[in-house]
């Protein structure tokens, strides 16, 4: 489960899946929980997706999957900025995934924007809590490296429901976007904020990469190169990146 607005969580999920299929944009993009079941299929087999609400329809075009997530969200919430706790169920079959169920939740937010009820801030927090309070769920606390961890809602709420950090995985995004002269080594080594499991740093595609349709496989390779060739992170490279994160999760 992961939640924190504009932390790059869509990109992290897409990296784990190895496909572009999540709606993007500013504001609250995820407005319903998305229950994502990944099924590892045989090497060389065709990747496809199926929705529970459209049984027997196989999607092989992942741009169409994204559109269906948006349309199905709108069917439940109207074309407003409202949220709904009714989940969308999506299964993806691919040789490039690990067997895993992920839940994408609306990002925690501090203020309601135009077209949203004032209660939305609390509604989202309640929805997130209802999932992450479950003792068998692993919490992906995704936070951007270019913001102070002390202000991370994801960490704050995770700590409340999982005080010992037994089931919280800290994921640090946007490491390549940090101010010059600063790095994330203290966090990644567990010195500044300790969790039971080591923090995982990821480097997702930039908006420019996404616009240019840089594919996931190339992006994963670039991410590996970033960690192995950056002097500060070289000693941690073996446990950085979205592929390592997927293995850890499974």
């Amino acid at each position: 489960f992961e939640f924190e607005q504009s932390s790059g969580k869509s990109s992290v999920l897409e990296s784990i899946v190895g496909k572009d299929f999540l709606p993007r944009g500013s504001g609250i993009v995820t407005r319903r929980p998305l229950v994502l079941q990944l099924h590892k299929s045989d090497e060389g087999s065709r990747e496809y997706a199926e929705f529970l609400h459209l049984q027997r329809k196989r999607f092989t075009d992942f741009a169409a999957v994204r559109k269906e997530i948006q349309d199905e969200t709108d069917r439940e919430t109207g074309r407003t900025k409202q949220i709904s706790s009714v989940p969308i169920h999506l299964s993806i079959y691919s040789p490039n995934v690990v067997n895993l169920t992920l839940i994408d939740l609306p990002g925690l937010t501090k203020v309601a924007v135009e077209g949203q009820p004032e209660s939305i801030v609390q509604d989202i927090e309640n929805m997130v809590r209802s999932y992450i309070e479950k003792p068998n769920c692993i919490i992906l606390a995704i936070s951007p490296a270019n913001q102070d961890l002390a202000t991370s809602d994801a960490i704050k709420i995770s700590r409340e429901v999982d005080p010992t950090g037994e089931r919280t995985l800290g994921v640090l995004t946007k490491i390549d976007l940090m101010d010059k002269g600063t790095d994330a080594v203290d966090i990644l080594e567990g010195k500044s904020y300790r969790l039971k499991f080591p923090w995982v740093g990821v480097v997702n595609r930039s908006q420019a990469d996404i616009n240019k349709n840089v594919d996931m496989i190339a992006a994963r390779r670039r991410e590996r190169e970033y960690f192995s060739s950056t002097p500060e992170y070289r000693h941690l490279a073996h446990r950085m990146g979205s592929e390592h994160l997927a293995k850890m999760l499974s």
Side-chain angles (χ1 to χ4, degrees):
F1 298 95
E2 35 57 60
F3 45 87
E4 172 123 49
Q5 267 188 295
S6 70
S7 57
K9 69 186 176 74
S10 302
S11 303
V12 173
L13 286 189
E14 289 183 329
S15 299
I16 291 173
V17 176
K19 280 277 173 230
D20 286 295
F21 67 99
L22 289 169
R24 291 177 179 277
S26 56
I28 301 176
V29 180
T30 308
R31 291 185 289 113
R32 292 174 60 179
L34 177 72
V35 178
L36 181 62
Q37 287 185 303
L38 305 182
H39 305 268
K40 187 168 179 59
S41 52
D42 295 337
E43 218 37 69
S45 60
R46 182 106 193 250
E47 297 173 293
Y48 68 93
E50 285 178 342
F51 287 94
L52 188 62
H53 66 272
L54 289 175
Q55 280 174 334
R56 291 182 294 281
K57 179 170 182 186
R58 281 192 178 190
F59 287 77
T60 49
D61 170 9
F62 282 78
V65 171
R66 172 183 290 156
K67 185 172 183 320
E68 183 55 37
I69 292 172
Q70 280 168 322
D71 292 349
E72 176 57 20
T73 298
D74 289 344
R75 283 179 205 123
E76 185 65 38
T77 60
R79 303 197 65 160
T80 60
K81 298 193 174 90
Q82 309 278 6
I83 61 161
S84 160
S85 57
V86 180
I88 296 173
H89 290 265
L90 173 63
S91 293
I92 293 180
Y93 299 81
S94 161
N96 306 319
V97 300
V98 290
N99 291 315
L100 191 60
T101 298
L102 294 161
I103 301 185
D104 185 18
L105 295 165
L108 294 163
T109 180
K110 301 254 195 313
V111 287
V113 297
E114 205 179 327
Q116 291 172 344
E118 280 305 315
S119 64
I120 196 160
V121 176
Q122 196 56 50
D123 291 346
I124 292 178
E125 185 175 319
N126 294 346
M127 189 194 302
V128 166
R129 278 178 191 277
S130 72
Y131 282 93
I132 66 172
E133 278 168 350
K134 295 175 182 158
N136 63 341
C137 114
I138 296 170
I139 302 166
L140 268 190
I142 298 180
S143 301
N146 56 1
Q147 275 173 24
D148 183 2
L149 260 196
T151 64
S152 164
D153 285 327
I155 287 293
K156 180 174 155 287
I157 197 170
S158 305
R159 186 175 247 175
E160 288 172 25
V161 299
D162 177 32
T164 51
E166 297 284 315
R167 53 188 185 88
T168 299
L169 279 180
V171 180
L172 210 55
T173 58
K174 308 191 181 186
I175 291 181
D176 52 328
L177 303 180
M178 294 180 78
D179 285 342
K180 274 231 179 303
T182 62
D183 63 58
V185 173
D186 278 358
I187 297 170
L188 295 174
E189 287 183 346
K191 292 193 180 100
S192 60
Y193 185 87
R194 195 171 255 311
L195 290 168
K196 195 164 165 39
F197 300 97
W199 279 79
V200 180
V202 297
V203 173
N204 294 317
R205 292 169 307 162
S206 66
Q207 194 53 51
D209 289 340
I210 293 166
N211 297 346
K212 286 197 300 243
N213 285 327
V214 170
D215 75 69
M216 288 288 170
I217 307 306
R220 282 179 181 178
R221 190 175 60 238
R222 207 183 282 181
E223 181 185 48
R224 276 199 302 273
E225 282 164 7
Y226 174 85
F227 285 111
S228 57
S229 64
T230 307
E232 295 88 329
Y233 303 122
R234 206 174 282 151
H235 67 295
L236 298 167
H238 63 285
R239 62 171 183 82
M240 293 292 120
S242 18
E243 290 172 286
H244 176 73
L245 177 61
K247 285 197 193 89
M248 243 175 108
L249 282 171
S250 69

